[in-house]
Amino acid sequence: MNFTKGEIFHIDKPYGWTSFAVVGKLRYHISRRTGIKKIKVGHAGTLDPLASGVLVICTGKATKRIEELQAGVKEYVAEIKLGATTPSFDLETEEDATYPWEHITREQVEQVLSTQFVGSISQVPPAYSACKINGKRAYKMARQGDDVELKAKTLVVNEIEVLEMEGQRLVIRVVCGKGTYIRALARDIGIALGSGAHLTGLRRTQVGDVRVEKCMSIDEAVDLINTVAIETEEN
């Protein structure tokens, strides 16, 4: 492997890890193995700490491909709780309101998803997100209790389907383009169903042509870095 010339790792990011922490872990071992203190390592497409699944990590000159790689279509499996909301639209914050949900049927969900959430849609990003407002990260402002107003963005949802539904628990599969917040999608689905909703689980199962089944664990990536033959030339 030539980490300076550029390598790409496909990692199955575990629940609880930030994308930045995964980058830091791999950078540490690559730097220690190569002796290069400031080697470039970056990720293509942030995955929230409360989500797991495909995270693409690039090293060296391959970091120039990050924009290209994160533009690929992504697939998620999302678990949603109907009838309750949280300020962050997921489990980062506590439930702040409850709503009737008993009227919601699977047929209604499927009809709403197919008519309102496929194709080009408008979505307001979550206040608890990395979007910037006057140079400040929205999530930092939200955690401080500041008002956060974000503008709606146009994005594309290629496919969306119901995988499971029982009581307040709804599991959906989403295939979408860059910039889609699945937490915000959960919020909007709850509203469209005349209720409320928030994300309780998220797994990114595909990025571009890369399936999660083909990804390495962090430990496997570290083992590879520490045992693989290293090329040091830059061309």
Side-chain angles (χ1 to χ4, degrees):
M1 279 187 156
N2 190 323
F3 296 111
T4 304
K5 189 174 180 180
E7 300 292 345
I8 298 176
F9 290 85
H10 301 127
I11 304 295
D12 182 356
K13 187 191 84 65
Y15 179 92
W17 281 65
T18 66
S19 299
F20 182 76
V22 179
V23 167
K25 180 84 169 180
L26 269 58
R27 182 192 289 117
Y28 169 78
H29 286 276
I30 292 170
S31 180
R32 192 177 70 168
R33 183 79 200 282
T34 62
I36 303 171
K37 290 183 179 181
K38 294 185 178 181
I39 191 163
K40 290 183 178 179
V41 183
H43 62 79
T46 302
L47 200 55
D48 288 342
L50 299 184
S52 66
V54 183
L55 183 66
V56 180
I57 305 289
C58 302
T59 80
K61 293 179 181 178
T63 56
K64 295 178 180 179
R65 296 187 58 197
I66 284 177
E67 192 69 26
E68 164 204 343
L69 294 169
Q70 68 184 11
V73 171
K74 301 173 180 67
E75 180 188 76
Y76 297 88
V77 173
E79 184 172 323
I80 295 169
K81 180 178 179 180
L82 301 171
T85 58
T86 71
S88 60
F89 311 152
D90 64 7
L91 295 179
E92 181 181 342
T93 53
E94 298 291 329
E95 292 183 8
D96 60 352
T98 58
Y99 302 83
W101 57 270
E102 293 84 359
H103 64 282
I104 301 172
T105 64
R106 181 169 181 144
E107 291 73 24
Q108 181 187 4
V109 173
E110 290 175 341
Q111 193 272 336
V112 164
L113 294 184
S114 64
T115 58
Q116 298 186 38
F117 294 96
V118 177
S120 180
I121 68 171
S122 179
Q123 182 185 84
V124 177
Y128 287 76
S129 70
C131 293
K132 287 187 176 181
I133 301 174
N134 298 324
K136 296 182 179 180
R137 295 291 185 185
Y139 69 84
K140 290 185 178 180
M141 297 174 63
R143 287 169 184 163
Q144 291 171 354
D146 297 335
D147 290 333
V148 177
E149 292 187 16
L150 295 168
K151 295 181 180 179
K153 297 182 178 181
T154 300
L155 48 89
V156 175
V157 175
N158 304 74
E159 300 175 43
I160 189 166
E161 67 170 326
V162 177
L163 298 181
E164 299 177 46
M165 184 174 172
E166 183 177 358
Q168 292 176 264
R169 181 174 179 268
L170 171 65
V171 181
I172 61 174
R173 182 181 73 92
V174 182
V175 179
C176 57
K178 179 183 176 182
T180 306
Y181 283 94
I182 307 299
R183 289 179 287 141
L185 199 64
R187 168 203 62 195
D188 295 341
I189 290 170
I191 293 171
L193 292 168
S195 183
H198 66 278
L199 196 67
T200 55
L202 183 65
R203 185 157 175 78
R204 186 154 70 190
T205 48
Q206 186 169 348
V207 174
D209 296 328
V210 181
R211 294 286 308 174
V212 71
E213 295 85 1
K214 299 295 184 179
C215 291
M216 293 185 286
S217 68
I218 295 173
D219 287 343
E220 287 171 338
V222 168
D223 287 343
L224 178 63
I225 291 166
N226 288 329
T227 58
V228 73
I230 301 292
E231 298 176 21
T232 55
E233 67 271 15
E234 295 188 17
N235 49 37

